[in-house]
Amino acid sequence: MKKIHFHIGFEKTGSKSIQNFCARNSKALQERGIYYLDDVYNGLVFASTHWPIAAAYADLPSLVPPSKKLDAQEATNLIVEVANNTSCDTLLFSAEPFSSVLTSAKKIVAMKKA
């Protein structure tokens, strides 16, 4: 079974630096069994961050333009695809909106179950 970690850094706390570091060092992370999702799965990635995942489960539908928004099931399917296509045991996702737009317990539980 693979592990999935969500870095839920708050806005203006250096999260983008962590995301850029992980993106630049993705090969080194993979050598250590950690897959930091890159732009191969562009529906889940935007500028080295994974806010489309948070947006798929968000309480704020206006966060993403409708033409770019994934629904929760589509995001889940892509995450499963990522997990199945990497030999890494751990997947790492990072996005500030995990802390700011997933504000209801119902939405957080839905993402966890997915």
Side-chain angles (χ1 to χ4, degrees):
M1 180 168 292
K2 303 212 180 201
K3 296 177 196 170
I4 298 177
H5 293 276
F6 291 96
H7 171 248
I8 58 169
F10 292 100
E11 285 86 351
K12 306 299 180 201
T13 61
S15 297
K16 189 67 174 168
S17 294
I18 292 170
Q19 294 155 359
N20 288 336
F21 174 86
C22 289
R24 281 192 314 269
N25 294 285
S26 62
K27 295 227 185 291
L29 289 169
Q30 286 181 36
E31 291 169 2
R32 289 161 179 80
I34 301 169
Y35 186 74
Y36 188 78
L37 188 65
D38 58 21
D39 62 0
V40 171
Y41 294 94
N42 61 8
L44 297 176
V45 180
F46 180 79
S48 78
T49 182
H50 306 114
W51 64 260
I53 299 170
Y57 294 94
D59 296 316
L60 305 170
S62 63
L63 178 67
V64 179
S67 64
K68 294 185 178 187
K69 183 164 176 31
L70 299 173
D71 68 24
Q73 188 59 54
E74 185 178 5
T76 299
N77 291 344
L78 284 169
I79 291 169
V80 169
E81 181 181 323
V82 170
N84 289 336
N85 287 325
T86 182
S87 61
C88 294
D89 294 327
T90 302
L91 284 75
L92 174 61
F93 301 100
S94 178
E96 292 85 349
F98 287 127
S99 68
S100 60
V101 300
L102 288 170
T103 56
S104 74
K106 182 179 176 181
K107 295 286 187 169
I108 294 167
V109 168
M111 190 174 92
K112 181 181 178 186
K113 283 183 179 181

